[in-house]
Amino acid sequence: MKKIAVLSDIHANLPALEAVWRDLEAQAPDEVYHLGDLVGYNPYPEEAVDFVRRRGLPGIRGNYDLAVAAKVPDPASAYLKEPISPNGWAAYRWSESHVPEKDREYLLGLPERIDLEIEGHRLTLVHGSPDDVREYLYPDTPEEMLAEAVASAGCDLLLCGHTHRPMIRKAGRGLVINPGSVGKPKDGDPRAGYLVLTLTPDGIEPEIRRVEYDLATVARTILATDLPEVMATSLQKGLSN
């Protein structure tokens, strides 16, 4: 038996990450992975990257990580969801200006996917989908599309983030699991979310855990910056901007 924890979409929310980590340590996983988007939306980008880097957590780069760090002519349009709203642009510009060069290099150095074999199960970790870092695999995505994604990855279990909505779905003979978001949930539950997986040769037991954290302090900190006010209100409601 092996137990792993999977975090996704931390999005510069250090208090949420710290609360998840305390809960995670009580679960005593053998390994911890992340599915990208360490930065964006929230006011602690440097601290969140440092937290992950100091612990040597293996993980992948997300689309927001690329939007902040990639050296292309128009990184926001290349990697963020279009059309980008005025609030989205303001949040992006703030985030881009508060991520130091050392963190940009770290984010760019992360792989686009990780493939694992644990207890006889083939796992693929991506941010969006196996084919596109920006593709959304939602809880209501048709099963045949999820099955195609699993087949494209060549795995038994596809772990993906990006939607900020937790999901455990059958996909043909495989599974697609989204841990939800540590730092910016969008399923109407403002608590931080992450995944604990128990794997044995006989099966996979997933548990999506939700964790309370000091959300009020994060909201006040957002309001004390030049981040749009809606970033605080949406965080408190667990909804999209």
Side-chain angles (χ1 to χ4, degrees):
M1 183 183 80
K2 195 163 188 179
K3 183 186 288 188
I4 69 170
V6 185
L7 317 180
S8 190
D9 296 280
I10 293 166
H11 279 300
N13 190 335
L14 183 66
L17 178 57
E18 290 173 333
V20 161
W21 195 259
R22 288 191 293 270
D23 189 82
L24 181 157
E25 287 186 313
Q27 305 305 310
D30 298 294
E31 298 173 11
V32 182
Y33 295 87
H34 73 82
L35 303 181
D37 272 7
L38 304 185
V39 300
Y41 301 120
N42 288 306
Y44 313 96
E46 190 171 1
E47 296 90 338
V49 172
D50 186 60
F51 188 102
V52 170
R53 180 168 46 204
R54 282 189 290 109
R55 287 162 178 78
L57 302 186
I60 55 181
R61 61 197 184 206
N63 67 300
Y64 215 110
D65 300 328
L66 287 166
V68 166
K71 296 176 174 64
V72 297
D74 190 357
S77 295
Y79 295 111
L80 298 185
K81 182 180 179 180
E82 293 191 296
I84 304 172
S85 69
N87 284 325
W89 272 113
Y92 168 73
R93 287 193 296 267
W94 190 93
S95 298
E96 195 275 338
S97 68
H98 285 78
V99 175
E101 185 61 28
K102 65 179 175 63
D103 291 347
R104 296 169 195 256
E105 294 300 325
Y106 172 77
L107 294 172
L108 287 177
L110 295 173
E112 65 182 19
R113 67 183 273 174
I114 292 174
D115 294 290
L116 305 169
E117 185 164 339
I118 302 175
E119 297 287 351
H121 305 286
R122 296 170 300 161
L123 283 63
T124 294
L125 284 61
V126 297
H127 181 71
S129 80
D131 300 317
D132 187 348
V133 71
R134 289 198 298 182
E135 183 177 2
Y136 293 93
L137 299 179
Y138 284 111
D140 61 355
T141 295
E143 183 179 347
E144 57 268 26
M145 292 182 64
L146 298 180
E148 288 173 5
V150 170
S152 174
C155 64
D156 308 310
L157 170 56
L158 178 64
L159 293 161
C160 58
H162 191 43
T163 68
H164 300 206
R165 293 174 171 88
M167 170 177 73
I168 301 173
R169 291 279 309 277
K170 289 184 178 179
R173 296 182 179 179
L175 281 175
V176 178
I177 301 180
N178 187 319
S181 174
V182 170
K184 192 173 173 60
K186 294 182 179 180
D187 63 338
D189 183 344
R191 294 176 299 167
Y194 78 103
L195 172 70
V196 175
L197 275 177
T198 303
L199 302 108
T200 70
D202 296 325
I204 299 169
E205 182 181 332
E207 179 189 8
I208 292 175
R209 298 183 61 82
R210 301 306 286 258
V211 182
E212 300 274 1
Y213 72 97
D214 189 358
L215 199 159
T217 292
V218 181
R220 285 196 299 270
T221 305
I222 290 172
L223 296 175
T225 71
D226 292 329
L227 283 164
E229 182 178 342
V230 70
M231 298 301 159
T233 56
S234 62
L235 188 69
Q236 291 171 308
K237 295 177 181 179
L239 299 173
S240 299
N241 302 325

